[in-house]
Amino acid sequence: MIREERLKLILDFVNEQDYCSNEKISKHLNIPFTTLRRDLTDLHNESKLKRVHGGAKTIREKSILEAFLDEKLLTNIDAKKNIANKALACIKPFETIFLDAGSTTFFLAEIIKPELNNKIYTNSIINAQILAKNGIKDINLLPGKLKISTRAICGVETISALSKYNFDLAFIGINAVDNEFNFFTTDEDEAEVKRIAIKNSQFSFGLADTSKNNSKSLVKFSDKSQIALINEEV
């Protein structure tokens, strides 16, 4: 049995049972203890299950609700700054960029260099302000309805305006990432803005620290086939 098939069998079996002892997994799937311990360690390190003394247990996906932007700017700051620096390395001079609303994109807005001469479109008032403070000259704020909790601009006007443009890069905020690397947000209007930005971009990057792993939120807007995930570990 190849490793990928074996890992899937182990994961499916543990998820069905909620908790399994090493002995039960080994006997049921006919996997030697030495191989099983190595596989369980790999699955644990990938956050697909949790190793516990004598066995393994499932990781239930948590549901993420929308927090206010002011709160999110105070959480996981080091991870978000790390992600922002990785995202900055993807930007080349004179590229046209869509910068989504969100706390991690806020930290990216802080460090985009004026000398790159990028044209930047955003649906975030606060990101536009930070870009201006950072010396960016070509800032384009999309029209639409302001969502107070996230300071994101969204809605029919936003989608209509966004549909006119094509971008070199899009940096997309993510609320939740499930075990299959589907990406979620909490609001259908914001989800549609993200979908259009991804569709109209040559390359799209999702920015999400690992605290958002193993979770879901209200609306799926994309998956790993459409955007590359940047977190503090990748």
Side-chain angles (χ1 to χ4, degrees):
M1 185 188 305
I2 65 173
R3 177 178 177 273
E4 288 73 17
E5 291 177 353
R6 194 173 64 245
L7 293 179
K8 186 177 187 307
L9 286 174
I10 294 169
L11 186 60
D12 289 346
F13 186 62
V14 173
N15 284 337
E16 286 173 6
Q17 306 293 319
D18 284 339
Y19 166 81
C20 287
S21 67
N22 291 338
E23 183 178 1
K24 185 175 182 180
I25 299 170
S26 176
K27 183 176 180 180
H28 184 83
L29 300 178
N30 194 28
I31 299 173
F33 265 99
T34 52
T35 302
L36 177 62
R37 291 191 184 99
R38 184 173 61 248
D39 288 346
L40 289 176
T41 297
D42 290 344
L43 288 167
H44 176 89
N45 290 339
E46 294 171 11
S47 299
K48 292 183 176 179
L49 55 71
K50 183 176 179 62
R51 282 204 71 179
V52 294
H53 182 69
K57 63 185 294 185
T58 188
I59 296 177
R60 293 298 180 194
E61 291 178 331
K62 54 187 180 290
S63 180
I64 292 184
L65 302 176
E66 187 66 79
F68 279 83
L69 180 63
D70 290 344
E71 298 173 24
K72 293 194 287 186
L73 288 172
L74 298 175
T75 60
N76 302 316
I77 294 172
D78 289 342
K80 291 173 181 178
K81 288 185 175 181
N82 182 296
I83 294 166
N85 278 293
K86 291 180 180 180
L88 179 64
C90 300
I91 299 174
K92 296 177 182 178
F94 301 103
E95 287 184 318
T96 300
I97 295 167
F98 173 76
L99 187 63
D100 194 14
S103 56
T104 309
T105 57
F106 169 91
F107 290 110
L108 176 56
E110 283 192 320
I111 59 173
I112 294 178
K113 301 173 182 178
E115 55 266 31
L116 289 173
N117 293 303
N118 299 119
K119 179 190 287 287
I120 302 178
Y121 289 77
T122 185
N123 64 326
S124 165
I125 289 177
I126 190 170
N127 283 356
Q129 291 172 327
I130 292 298
L131 289 166
K133 183 178 179 181
N134 196 25
I136 305 300
K137 302 300 183 185
D138 198 343
I139 305 166
N140 301 270
L141 187 61
L142 295 170
K145 182 179 179 181
L146 179 65
K147 184 179 177 184
I148 299 299
S149 61
T150 61
R151 317 260 183 94
I153 299 170
C154 52
V156 175
E157 287 182 82
T158 315
I159 293 165
S160 176
L162 193 58
S163 298
K164 300 175 184 177
Y165 303 117
N166 293 299
F167 307 106
D168 294 302
L169 302 177
F171 294 99
I172 306 296
I174 297 173
N175 288 81
V177 182
D178 72 9
N179 291 330
E180 302 298 321
F181 290 95
N182 296 303
F183 305 125
F184 298 83
T185 188
T186 60
D187 180 277
E188 180 58 55
D189 284 343
E190 288 196 62
E192 189 60 23
V193 169
K194 297 174 194 290
R195 292 186 191 112
I196 297 295
I198 293 166
K199 179 182 176 183
N200 290 3
S201 299
Q202 291 293 317
F203 299 99
S204 297
F205 298 91
L207 310 184
D209 64 83
T210 53
S211 71
K212 297 174 181 177
N213 289 355
N214 306 310
S215 60
K216 290 185 178 181
S217 196
L218 182 64
V219 186
K220 174 186 170 183
F221 66 86
S222 189
D223 58 42
K224 63 182 179 181
S225 70
Q226 297 176 301
I227 61 177
L229 176 67
I230 302 177
N231 63 29
E232 68 271 31
E233 295 179 351
V234 177

